[in-house]
Amino acid sequence: MHRLASLIRPNSGEDTRVDWRRLARHIRPYAGYILIALVAMVLATVMGLIYPLVTGDLIDSLLEPNSLDLLNQTTLLLLLVFLLRTVLGLIQSYALGYVGEHITFNLRLQLYERLQQLSLSFFEQRRVGELVSRLSSDVTMLRSILTSNLSSLLEQLLTLGGALLVMLSLNWRLSLFILVLAPVVAVTGRVFGMWLRRYSRIIQDELASSTIVAEEVFQNIRVVKSFTREPYESQRYRGANTKALRAAIRLLQIRSVFSPLISFLGLASIGAFLWFGGQEVIAGRLGIGDLVTFMIYGQLIVGSIGGLVGLYASLQQGLGGTKRVFDLIDETPQVQDASTAIPLPPVEGHITFENVSFHYATGDEVLHGINLEITPGEVLALVGPSGAGKSTIFNLIPRFYDPTSGRVCIDGIDLRTVQQESLRAQIGIVPQETLLFGGTIEENIRYGRLDAAPEEVIDAARAANAHQFITALPDGYDTIVGERGVKLSGGQRQRIAIARTILKDPRILLLDEATSSLDSESEQAIQEALTRLLVGRTTIMIAHRLSTVRIAHRIAVLDAGRIVEAGTHDELMEHNGLYAKLYALQFRETLAPNGATVAS
Ligand code: ATP
């Protein structure tokens, strides 16, 4: 039994325990629709149970003399039963579908909103594809549980119970005979079907991995050709396909043997039924019409038992999806507003790090006892080797993370005591790499302040040195960008990010300078735009380029999570420490023919 369960359960290791009360809460608002669907379902099932009886009568009527009238009446009744059943089925499936679609819609929104609220640490541990699949396929599975699975469970049980009752009242011997025969036929057929499906899935997976090999090769065709690795790649492709071939042959063997066996089993069971039923007729315990009635009921029962076995598998699958959705909805954001959190009043921009240490959820401490003060309007450049902790310092200011110990304050207010929204409203971030949203350029700039007037958008673009290239595009500000639109260069995207931030007009600015090389014209346009952006704001910038460090009033040098020196460029050069070393390195690289970037 255990082996059977593991065969029909798709993910046998998965915990599928679900809070049913919680599921019920999602259905409750649609109780009216559910009731209609249930009534329709019960009536339709009753109609389904009546029709074998009527058919039996129809057969019997043929045996009577002068039976034409009776035949006409019974046929009419049969048609009426079919018609009613069709209408009821229609009502049931519409009502259930309506509820299902609404539940999916509500849950998807609820899940999406929850996901957005979660902290950055959560997103670092999950893959985007996985989250998207929760939003799409898992939510859909939940719908199928709440609607089709549960209703079909009820329908099959009703059919099974009803058919048995009627059969027992007609002839208990034949009923018992069918009761022994039907499960054997139904379960064998079902289990075989699932077996086949499982093998087909393996074949699909094997084929998918061979497709990945092909994709990889076509994408890297230059590399393959330059190393003349065609024979090697052919070998790899052959290996992946051989596995698919083996699985396909195995499937073929199973199918060739079992398909005829299953159909033989079906036919043999009909033979057995006729043999046993025929004896009952001969013995005068059963009419011919009743024999036909039994035959139809037998089929109904086989269908119901098979349906129930199949339902077990799809219920398990659906419950797995449902649990994953609920688990996500129950995630709590790591960074949360305290219950006593106040809105941060408009700030002057005095930032202090007081003995701040920090480690990410995974890994060792990356900041050790940082003390740093940035006065209002000051421009501080953070420099240091890769992995020193520059981005981590950035992350603590908008509270993407909270310090493990120590505190970060703005205007003397501990950030942990303020509402995140009011804090982030006063901080502008220009990231290293700007990704644009699908939509127009104007919409992308307006992201900085949704209620900005069109002239304000244009002014911001002008200040960001972006107006010129935007107006040179065929559709100007209405040009569609993003995945399906025009591809902008890194420098152009960065200027759009700057325009966005100018529009937001934050008091505090976090600037992560692009590391990728830009052509000198872009470079100059961006420098100009940045200089305009910085005016009157407290700015912390991660500086990778020599020229940017020069805009800063002060430089803090970070090494392995500690601030090792701070001061102006001249002071630091005189100090002849890490900065002077990095500077010398940058200088060398800048002089080198391909060295636009500097060490970071
Ligand atoms: P770079 O100039 O290369 O961007 P950085 O100075 O900005 O480096 P951080 O990104 O702050 O350095 O990283 C500091 C340390 O923290 C590194 O050792 C890095 O591996 C680690 N780290 C960064 N992000 C995470 C994370 N999400 N989870 C765990 N460790 C992290």
Side-chain angles (χ1 to χ4, degrees):
M1 186 61 208
H2 177 73
R3 289 188 57 170
L4 178 69
S6 76
L7 179 65
I8 53 186
R9 192 187 303 150
N11 299 311
S12 37
E14 194 173 22
D15 180 6
T16 52
R17 272 168 296 169
V18 170
D19 186 350
W20 287 96
R21 261 175 308 177
R22 189 168 179 178
L23 274 178
R25 230 176 300 138
H26 285 278
I27 309 184
R28 201 165 302 146
Y30 307 98
Y33 280 90
I34 294 283
L35 194 69
I36 293 174
L38 279 182
V39 172
M41 186 198 76
V42 173
L43 291 178
T45 312
V46 171
M47 295 294 150
L49 289 172
I50 286 178
Y51 113 83
L53 284 172
V54 180
T55 312
D57 284 349
L58 187 73
I59 301 286
D60 282 340
S61 72
L62 300 178
L63 304 174
E64 313 252 320
N66 300 327
S67 57
L68 196 56
D69 277 354
L70 198 59
L71 175 67
N72 286 340
Q73 283 164 16
T74 324
T75 312
L76 206 64
L77 182 66
L78 204 58
L79 277 180
L80 199 69
V81 168
F82 287 152
L83 188 68
L84 258 177
R85 196 169 174 215
T86 308
V87 173
L88 288 166
L90 194 145
I91 294 174
Q92 177 201 349
S93 81
Y94 181 80
L96 276 183
Y98 182 90
V99 175
E101 294 306 336
H102 278 81
I103 290 175
T104 317
F105 176 81
N106 296 340
L107 255 173
R108 198 167 275 155
L109 284 189
Q110 193 184 350
L111 180 60
Y112 179 75
E113 273 164 26
R114 167 50 81 192
L115 285 174
Q116 275 199 332
Q117 285 164 3
L118 290 175
S119 307
L120 282 194
S121 53
F122 171 84
F123 288 94
E124 271 155 15
Q125 287 158 21
R126 304 289 186 118
R127 280 176 307 136
V128 172
E130 184 197 329
L131 297 178
V132 173
S133 120
R134 298 283 161 280
L135 275 177
S136 50
S137 54
D138 283 351
V139 172
T140 314
M141 273 189 204
L142 200 148
R143 174 188 62 185
S144 64
I145 280 215
L146 288 180
T147 55
S148 50
N149 283 354
L150 287 184
S151 77
S152 154
L153 181 73
L154 217 60
E155 197 176 323
Q156 308 294 5
L157 287 177
L158 265 177
T159 307
L160 199 61
L164 274 178
L165 268 182
V166 183
M167 283 181 359
L168 282 170
S169 71
L170 289 177
N171 180 311
W172 65 267
R173 288 166 207 265
L174 192 53
S175 303
L176 284 186
F177 186 76
I178 288 183
L179 213 54
V180 173
L181 207 60
V184 178
V185 179
V187 174
T188 322
R190 249 312 160 170
V191 170
F192 172 66
M194 285 171 184
W195 206 6
L196 284 189
R197 236 170 295 143
R198 179 163 276 202
Y199 262 99
S200 309
R201 219 174 304 138
I202 295 177
I203 296 176
Q204 293 299 327
D205 289 350
E206 298 292 359
L207 277 180
S209 43
S210 71
T211 312
I212 290 174
V213 174
E215 257 176 33
E216 223 175 66
V217 168
F218 296 148
Q219 271 163 5
N220 288 319
I221 192 76
R222 273 167 189 277
V223 182
V224 176
K225 283 192 181 296
S226 67
F227 283 96
T228 56
R229 282 287 174 264
E230 291 90 342
Y232 172 78
E233 291 301 345
S234 293
Q235 202 55 39
R236 237 168 34 111
Y237 190 63
R238 169 188 276 271
N241 270 294
T242 308
K243 283 189 191 158
L245 175 69
R246 271 196 215 115
I249 295 290
R250 183 105 184 90
L251 179 68
L252 192 66
Q253 287 166 345
I254 296 173
R255 186 176 282 149
S256 319
V257 176
F258 281 90
S259 275
L261 269 183
I262 295 285
S263 69
F264 171 74
L265 195 65
L267 293 173
S269 65
I270 293 177
F273 164 80
L274 286 175
W275 169 75
F276 193 93
Q279 291 184 45
E280 292 294 293
V281 174
I282 292 171
R285 287 190 285 262
L286 196 71
I288 296 281
D290 289 341
L291 189 67
V292 175
T293 304
F294 262 94
M295 186 126 149
I296 303 177
Y297 276 135
Q299 277 168 354
L300 281 183
I301 286 183
V302 169
S304 292
I305 296 177
L308 284 173
V309 177
L311 260 181
Y312 177 73
S314 70
L315 255 176
Q316 286 293 327
Q317 204 173 22
L319 287 175
T322 308
K323 184 159 188 315
R324 287 192 293 269
V325 170
F326 283 163
D327 283 351
L328 268 191
I329 292 180
D330 289 342
E331 282 272 346
T332 46
Q334 205 166 30
V335 177
Q336 273 181 322
D337 284 348
S339 56
T340 52
I342 47 152
L344 181 69
V347 295
E348 259 192 89
H350 188 181
I351 305 173
T352 47
F353 278 68
E354 298 171 14
N355 214 9
V356 169
S357 297
F358 177 78
H359 64 79
Y360 287 98
T362 52
D364 302 329
E365 194 171 90
V366 291
L367 294 180
H368 318 283
I370 298 279
N371 284 299
L372 189 64
E373 179 177 3
I374 306 122
T375 53
E378 188 180 19
V379 177
L380 177 89
L382 280 179
V383 298
S386 179
K390 304 180 292 287
S391 309
T392 308
I393 289 202
F394 254 38
N395 285 337
L396 297 181
I397 298 172
R399 276 191 78 196
F400 288 152
Y401 298 89
D402 280 331
T404 326
S405 67
R407 44 183 221 152
V408 182
C409 299
I410 296 182
D411 292 0
I413 305 172
D414 186 341
L415 296 185
R416 263 183 291 221
T417 64
V418 302
Q419 291 167 3
Q420 292 170 66
E421 200 184 333
S422 64
L423 167 69
R424 290 180 193 155
Q426 302 190 54
I427 299 177
I429 301 177
V430 180
Q432 208 173 63
E433 260 294 311
T434 302
L435 288 177
L436 299 179
F437 293 101
T440 64
I441 290 195
E442 171 167 9
E443 282 163 355
N444 267 285
I445 298 178
R446 197 186 288 277
Y447 205 79
R449 182 152 55 83
L450 295 178
D451 62 357
E455 310 82 62
E456 290 179 290
V457 171
I458 295 175
D459 286 347
R462 278 216 169 87
N465 270 350
H467 182 72
Q468 212 174 0
F469 85 76
I470 295 173
T471 45
L473 292 167
D475 292 326
Y477 282 84
D478 294 328
T479 306
I480 303 282
V481 288
E483 193 112 310
R484 295 205 194 117
V486 170
K487 301 270 176 290
L488 297 182
S489 75
Q492 289 172 329
R493 277 184 278 131
Q494 205 176 25
R495 277 177 276 167
I496 291 198
I498 294 173
R500 206 184 257 174
T501 314
I502 290 176
L503 207 55
K504 182 175 182 184
D505 194 17
R507 192 74 195 96
I508 294 169
L509 194 63
L510 304 178
L511 200 72
D512 196 351
E513 199 196 14
T515 41
S516 51
S517 339
L518 300 170
D519 60 83
S520 53
E521 200 183 307
S522 245
E523 171 91 48
Q524 200 191 345
I526 287 174
Q527 287 300 326
E528 268 177 31
L530 285 182
T531 318
R532 274 183 224 132
L533 175 65
L534 299 186
V535 177
R537 308 180 206 276
T538 306
T539 304
I540 305 185
M541 57 164 71
I542 297 179
H544 303 283
R545 279 164 221 274
L546 205 62
S547 43
T548 323
V549 183
R550 289 213 177 113
I551 311 177
H553 300 133
R554 200 157 55 100
I555 301 157
V557 185
L558 210 62
D559 189 20
R562 290 177 213 281
I563 294 189
V564 288
E565 43 189 29
T568 61
H569 170 77
D570 292 340
E571 284 166 2
L572 291 175
M573 288 306 285
E574 199 168 318
H575 183 250
N576 201 19
L578 181 59
Y579 179 78
K581 230 193 289 172
L582 289 174
Y583 184 82
L585 193 70
Q586 290 168 16
F587 192 59
R588 257 209 324 270
E589 284 193 11
T590 317
L591 284 185
N594 60 350
T597 54
V598 293
S600 57

